[in-house]
Amino acid sequence: MRRFSSLLLSGLLLSLSAPACSPNPPETARTAAPAAGGPPVIPTESVPVAAQAPGRFPETFEQGGKGAYSEGDEQLASGSWHFTEALIGSSDQDHKRGQQGARLRARGRLRMNFDAPSGVRTIRVSSAAYGQDVASTWELWGSVDGGRSFRRIGNPVQAKGPRLLTTTFQGTTPGPLRLEIRKTDGGAGRLNIDDIVLETSSGTAVAGGSTAAVPGPAPSTPAPRPSTQAPSSQGAPASGQALSTDNDNLGLGNPSGATANVSMPTNYLLVKPQFAIGYNALRGTPTWVSWHLSRTDMGSAPRQDDFRPDPALPREFYQVTRNSYSGSGFDKGHNCPSADRTRELDDNSATFLMTNMIPQAGNNNQRTWSSLEEWTRGQVQRGQEVYVIMGSYGKGGTGANGFKTTIDNGHVTVPARVWKVLVILPEGSNDLQRIAAGQARLLAVDTPNDQTVSPNWSQYRTSIDAIEIATGLDLLSKIPLAAQDKLEAQVDTAPVR
């Protein structure tokens, strides 16, 4: 066992060398001695330990809800962590010991925004390759000066295969310690990290950082979709109405004022990187789904067809499964379509969550709605961007097996009508300002949920006002009221071919 050179970080953790041999793959892999040098320090903001009420390790990522790779802070059980090109994954492809684990891509990082107190003797970090991805390389870095500078602990670790293996680092820290995990290969393979354990010499888990709310977005705050446009330099409209971030999946507003509150089962907010949902657990379907579509959302990822319950749905709510629709005569009808999210496998897979489905008549889903979806993507391929809100209302539809009001023993309501609102405008910035100024094409469609529906979706065009009256929703709530009154009364009559 060798100590770190005082030139690096005096007193930082020591690493153990790996065992000479083992007949089976070790469950715990130990690293070799640290390198004598490292990259330049990374300046960060120090968080005073005295100002924090401690959480506790191990960090299992079960408490967090960060569903996007966008950079930001997330409050976890141990304290506040900073995520860069990283999220909390809960899919079947995430290798984890509980329901959730961290997932990093590219050169992703996970950094403590707090200092663990003195006395850390052992650090254990479990890692694996995400899904069937190629191997990833990661490094553990540490700071003993409140995050002002970091140095690497031990040698790089390679995570390959679906089995979580635990890497152990041991030594002594005379002062507080702050850690950062860095995915260093920058390749296409994604990395799962789970169960970060910090222990004292007696084996006791050490305290973490603050468990109080930290500044920044809450887990349910929607993350904006990536944009290729320059950010706006203009402010809000003259009315003083605040503008949302361009390309936000909730860019037009929250139609029902949904919140992530388990006491509101008929109006529960689910926010994904790919779309946002106002979910009605008593109907077993979304009331509405909202998303933004641009060329950056469409790529070469294949259709996943992995219909499954939504792990983000509270346990108190009934979980609709892929079998809930079996034998019903209705399709599992997407709200946000699979083909709208083909940039990455994760994006496409998210569209198969059952919270994104409604019981949809086959002819409606496969002909009328499919044609509308293809037309919409065609507009995007010609240089447009589109804000989309889709939903359903009423009770009772006709599928291949006849008229039904519910399926799955009454747990899933069959809607009578299926509707969609499209706000189409040329690629650009200042979207809400442009929409309010009349520079967008607004198109609303409301169809019956039955087998006799016409393949020609354009004959079902209506006004946004009419849909709002039928549903009780406020579909353009982020647009100034005067503009809403004018835009929502219109019925689109422009050519669709």
Side-chain angles (χ1 to χ4, degrees):
M1 186 178 290
R2 291 175 286 177
R3 293 189 178 277
F4 271 86
S5 164
S6 60
L7 180 64
L8 295 178
L9 287 175
S10 176
L12 198 58
L13 289 181
L14 306 175
S15 60
L16 294 179
S17 58
C21 62
S22 175
N24 298 307
E27 189 66 29
T28 300
R30 293 188 171 96
T31 66
V41 298
I42 303 171
T44 60
E45 181 180 351
S46 176
V47 180
V49 175
Q52 299 170 337
R56 185 158 297 279
F57 284 90
E59 180 50 67
T60 63
F61 301 98
E62 296 297 320
Q63 179 172 304
K66 186 177 186 296
Y69 284 113
S70 54
E71 185 170 1
D73 293 337
E74 181 74 4
Q75 189 68 35
L76 304 177
S78 61
S80 172
W81 289 69
H82 189 77
F83 285 60
T84 303
E85 290 289 345
L87 53 76
I88 295 176
S90 58
S91 77
D92 293 341
Q93 298 299 306
D94 286 291
H95 301 302
K96 54 200 183 296
R97 293 198 174 95
Q99 297 298 312
Q100 300 187 151
R103 188 195 314 159
L104 288 69
R105 69 177 183 183
R107 294 187 179 275
R109 298 186 180 190
L110 299 174
R111 188 189 72 230
M112 292 161 52
N113 286 332
F114 58 93
D115 290 329
S118 304
V120 174
R121 180 67 179 260
T122 302
I123 299 173
R124 297 187 180 92
V125 182
S126 297
S127 63
Y130 170 81
Q132 300 299 316
D133 284 9
V134 298
S136 293
T137 302
W138 62 272
E139 297 174 356
L140 180 66
W141 289 59
S143 171
V144 293
D145 59 4
R148 287 184 291 276
S149 62
F150 282 80
R151 286 290 184 267
R152 195 177 74 196
I153 302 172
N155 284 341
V157 179
Q158 186 178 63
K160 58 182 179 179
R163 185 183 180 193
L164 279 170
L165 295 179
T166 303
T167 304
T168 298
F169 305 83
Q170 287 186 319
T172 57
T173 51
L177 174 66
R178 185 173 302 202
L179 297 176
E180 184 174 80
I181 294 171
R182 303 180 182 181
K183 183 178 182 297
T184 55
D185 59 273
R190 287 155 293 183
L191 168 70
N192 279 135
I193 296 290
D194 203 5
D195 293 349
I196 300 174
V197 179
L198 272 63
E199 295 176 345
T200 64
S201 58
S202 64
T204 304
V206 304
S210 172
T211 57
V214 296
S220 61
T221 302
R225 299 293 300 172
S227 172
T228 58
Q229 308 301 327
S232 168
S233 61
Q234 300 183 32
S239 66
Q241 176 127 358
L243 288 174
S244 73
T245 303
D246 280 350
N247 304 344
D248 194 321
N249 288 325
L250 282 172
L252 300 180
N254 183 327
S256 62
T259 59
N261 185 340
V262 295
S263 65
M264 300 292 289
T266 63
N267 195 26
Y268 189 81
L269 181 64
L270 292 163
V271 176
K272 317 288 184 185
Q274 299 82 13
F275 45 79
I277 300 173
Y279 190 73
N280 188 329
L282 299 188
R283 289 176 65 99
T285 61
T287 301
W288 54 264
V289 179
S290 179
W291 69 98
H292 176 267
L293 179 61
S294 68
R295 284 186 285 186
T296 61
D297 295 306
M298 296 185 288
S300 58
R303 181 182 171 96
Q304 296 300 289
D305 280 317
D306 52 346
F307 294 96
R308 64 197 186 280
D310 191 334
L313 206 61
R315 294 178 181 177
E316 296 89 336
F317 298 171
Y318 180 78
Q319 280 280 9
V320 181
T321 72
R322 67 181 303 152
N323 296 326
S324 296
Y325 286 48
S326 297
S328 68
F330 291 93
D331 288 1
K332 294 185 285 289
H334 285 70
N335 280 255
C336 180
S338 164
D340 278 15
R341 294 290 184 253
T342 54
R343 183 181 58 189
E344 293 185 349
L345 291 178
D346 292 344
D347 290 336
N348 188 263
S349 178
T351 69
F352 290 90
L353 293 169
M354 294 304 295
T355 50
N356 186 42
M357 303 296 154
I358 58 170
Q360 195 168 5
N363 286 346
N364 186 307
N365 181 41
Q366 299 169 32
R367 299 192 307 181
T368 314
W369 226 243
S370 176
S371 176
L372 175 56
E373 291 167 357
E374 290 176 4
W375 181 85
T376 304
R377 288 189 290 273
Q379 303 307 301
V380 173
Q381 296 291 5
R382 287 189 281 273
Q384 305 290 306
E385 58 178 302
V386 187
Y387 289 88
V388 189
I389 309 175
M390 176 178 164
S392 55
Y393 66 94
K395 187 173 183 178
T398 304
N401 296 340
F403 180 83
K404 294 182 184 295
T405 57
T406 64
I407 60 174
D408 193 19
N409 296 317
H411 289 296
V412 179
T413 298
V414 178
R417 308 284 300 189
V418 185
W419 59 268
K420 181 175 283 187
V421 169
L422 306 174
V423 179
I424 308 166
L425 64 166
E427 290 176 341
S429 56
N430 308 317
D431 292 349
L432 292 187
Q433 288 178 321
R434 292 191 292 147
I435 295 167
Q439 298 173 22
R441 179 179 180 181
L442 277 69
L443 192 151
V445 177
D446 189 347
T447 68
N449 188 27
D450 61 35
Q451 294 289 77
T452 64
V453 63
S454 170
N456 180 14
W457 59 264
S458 67
Q459 74 180 56
Y460 297 104
R461 284 181 283 183
T462 185
S463 67
I464 296 176
D465 273 342
I467 294 178
E468 288 185 335
I469 291 170
T471 62
L473 300 175
D474 186 4
L475 297 175
L476 301 181
S477 60
K478 286 194 175 180
I479 303 295
L481 286 174
Q484 282 189 54
D485 290 341
K486 179 179 179 181
L487 297 173
E488 293 179 354
Q490 301 173 1
V491 177
D492 180 80
T493 59
V496 296
R497 291 291 184 267

